[in-house]
Amino acid sequence: MKILVIGGGGREHAIVKKLKENPAVTALYCLPGNGGIARDAVCVNISATDLEGILAFARAQNIDYAVVTPDDPLALGAVDLLEAAGIPCFGPRKNAAVIEASKVFAKELMKRYGIPTARYETFEDLEAALAYVETAPLPTVVKADGLALGKGVLIAQTREEARAAVRAMLADRRFGKSGERIVIEEFLEGPEISVLSFTDGRTLVPMVSSMDHKRIGEGDTGLNTGGMGTVAPNPYYTPEVARRCMEEIFLPTIRAMAAEGRPFKGCLYFGLMLTKDGPKVIEYNCRFGDPETQVVLPLLKTDLLTVMQAVTAGRLADCPVEFDTGAAACVIMASRGYPEHYEKGYPITIPDELTDAVYVAGAKEQNGQLVTSGGRVLGVTATAPDLQAALDLAYARVASIHFDNAYYRRDIGKRALAAKEN
Ligand code: AMP
Ligand code: GLY
């Protein structure tokens, strides 16, 4: 089988490595991929949002199956386009990807179907939004409706910050079209849990739960990033919480999407907060999380391609999906200065025996040498019977990898370990 993966980060590297385990895969392509993925798949420099380019490539190579991973091609309708050309795909169609692409859509869906989430109001009008934040409880959360590279959420501690956030989106158009509509919502408190799931629109199989570390600094301080590390499973996701999530959130969501004529097929990611009133939805993503995938897939025991094809065929109910009962950890090695300004082009040395444990996010090949090319450079992972052992091994691996100006958090998993002890 000839397989095509769309995307080019650490998450796609984890997917590519897992797909490669299936002996039926005779050719594996990644568009655009990156310098690290190029060691596991044929990478071709076609952008993940160049839908016509992707379709032309898929036709020319006689691709049998495509996996569309990032949010933007999904929101643009990459799956619809490939399916129309007779190429089966993993990923939601455009009308279902809207669950991530529009926060207003997601919030209205949850309200209509009684799915627990933060209370909210939506606004397009600047004056109405400004009037609302004068009386809204603080802190208050201001979100751009559309995709904003994870930067469209501002948590305002004061009225002044709330006004500034509203103006940045509705007056200054800081997020362009994505911020033409905004959601202002209640601030929720509690531990966050990521749950990725496989769903064919009727059956939903949660993957092992995980915990992201979004802030750049140790102790969860500083700017938000794309994610500085992950652990799985998430200790707050107890069997009781899992049961409530399934009954109150997961199944109601896929039933709601089906009822709206937008059946969701692919990986549906639930960003949850465990509040004192129970689990609530912070966000939906229409795709695998990054860097959650880098800890979830190493624990998947079932063949990934088999599960994906069952999703596409609507036969997930007949496909057993098994996860290892151990733990996994991923530490992101970034370029110092990220998520703001940073230098690129530093040579990376990875001991040969670690190539399977390293997912490359931002590196390119230059004269046969891997060099840094992005903010998040590598995801260094380990699996072990328990979390402490997985973290120890991941950090030992980090210590043996080198590039100039490398930065990583030393406290990945610390909160999860503390939670386990309580
Ligand atoms: P989102 O892009 O919606 O996932 O938001 C990014 C991050 O902002 C989340 O992971 C949370 O840490 C935080 N956040 C979003 N919404 C809320 C909320 N209603 N209350 C508290 N924190 C939030
Ligand atoms: N790690 C968060 C995300 O993928 O959106």
Side-chain angles (χ1 to χ4, degrees):
M1 277 187 84
K2 294 177 152 189
I3 313 285
L4 172 61
V5 176
I6 312 296
R11 163 184 63 191
E12 285 76 9
H13 201 182
I15 290 171
V16 158
K17 277 190 190 284
K18 203 76 189 172
L19 289 172
K20 242 178 86 170
E21 289 174 8
N22 186 317
V25 176
T26 51
L28 190 52
Y29 300 94
C30 191
L31 309 183
N34 66 42
I37 298 175
R39 296 175 179 191
D40 292 294
V42 176
C43 296
V44 178
N45 198 11
I46 296 174
S47 155
T49 51
D50 175 6
L51 301 198
E52 292 303 327
I54 291 168
L55 179 62
F57 178 87
R59 281 198 167 123
Q61 300 298 330
N62 288 315
I63 295 297
D64 297 300
Y65 191 71
V67 179
V68 184
T69 323
D71 48 5
D72 25 4
L74 289 167
L76 289 169
V79 168
D80 309 55
L81 193 71
L82 290 164
E83 279 182 351
I87 301 165
C89 290
F90 183 85
R93 292 185 186 156
K94 184 176 178 171
N95 73 353
V98 70
I99 199 166
E100 172 171 2
S102 168
K103 291 197 196 288
V104 173
F105 171 86
K107 295 299 288 193
E108 284 173 357
L109 185 85
M110 289 187 270
K111 189 185 254 179
R112 216 161 33 248
Y113 291 88
I115 298 165
T117 187
R119 281 192 294 273
Y120 75 101
E121 297 287 337
T122 65
F123 297 93
E124 286 174 40
D125 180 64
L126 176 65
E127 294 310 319
L130 286 174
Y132 178 78
V133 297
E134 290 313 314
T135 55
L138 292 171
T140 196
V141 185
V142 182
K143 299 185 172 185
D145 175 45
L147 299 176
L149 300 169
K151 298 193 177 86
V153 175
L154 299 166
I155 297 177
Q157 303 292 341
T158 63
R159 303 231 177 266
E160 192 43 47
E161 283 174 20
R163 285 180 214 120
V166 165
R167 284 204 190 91
M169 292 185 196
L170 289 179
D172 308 341
R173 295 277 187 246
R174 187 167 344 136
F175 300 101
K177 278 190 83 64
S178 288
E180 275 177 2
R181 286 198 293 177
I182 62 171
V183 171
I184 302 181
E185 71 177 27
E186 168 197 16
F187 179 78
L188 298 178
E189 278 175 285
E192 287 187 56
I193 305 171
S194 302
V195 179
L196 283 55
S197 67
F198 291 110
T199 177
D200 61 6
R202 281 178 302 180
T203 301
L204 179 141
V205 180
M207 301 184 217
V208 62
S209 62
S210 55
M211 184 189 283
D212 194 3
H213 298 68
K214 288 201 167 112
R215 303 294 199 89
I216 187 71
E218 287 168 15
D220 300 314
T221 54
L223 293 173
N224 252 322
T225 71
M228 292 303 294
T230 36
V231 296
N234 185 319
Y236 291 103
Y237 195 67
T238 60
E240 172 58 12
V241 172
R243 185 191 61 74
R244 285 193 65 176
C245 287
M246 193 62 151
E247 283 173 16
E248 297 169 22
I249 296 175
F250 302 166
L251 293 176
T253 300
I254 59 159
R255 287 184 193 133
M257 290 297 280
E260 296 286 314
R262 301 169 182 273
F264 190 102
K265 280 185 171 191
C267 172
L268 183 54
Y269 166 135
F270 299 88
L272 305 165
M273 197 171 271
L274 190 56
T275 72
K276 61 177 176 14
D277 303 322
K280 295 191 179 182
V281 178
I282 287 280
E283 62 165 348
Y284 293 115
N285 290 323
C286 66
R287 52 172 175 84
F288 284 94
D290 190 342
E292 285 88 346
T293 306
Q294 291 89 314
V295 286
V296 168
L297 289 188
L299 295 172
L300 177 65
K301 290 210 285 191
T302 315
D303 173 59
L304 178 61
L305 181 60
T306 305
V307 183
M308 287 181 158
Q309 289 181 301
V311 165
T312 305
R315 285 188 288 96
L316 186 58
D318 307 327
C319 178
V321 182
E322 244 195 293
F323 282 87
D324 196 290
T325 54
C330 172
V331 178
I332 298 293
M333 295 183 76
S335 302
R336 190 169 296 279
Y338 169 80
E340 297 183 291
H341 178 76
Y342 54 85
E343 307 284 330
K344 307 179 205 180
Y346 296 112
I348 305 170
T349 50
I350 304 173
D352 282 345
E353 67 275 16
L354 291 191
T355 41
D356 281 346
V358 177
Y359 300 124
V360 176
K364 62 178 184 185
E365 183 127 349
Q366 211 168 57
N367 306 323
Q369 164 75 49
L370 210 53
V371 303
T372 65
S373 69
R376 292 189 297 168
V377 179
L378 308 174
V380 182
T381 61
T383 56
D386 65 68
L387 181 57
Q388 182 68 64
L391 285 163
D392 289 347
L393 188 55
Y395 276 110
R397 289 174 172 170
V398 166
S400 69
I401 294 171
H402 180 81
F403 58 90
D404 283 350
N405 277 354
Y407 167 81
Y408 59 91
R409 276 180 60 168
R410 286 157 211 272
D411 66 341
I412 300 303
K414 205 168 163 183
R415 265 185 304 131
L417 286 172
K420 274 173 91 79
E421 280 162 17
N422 289 330

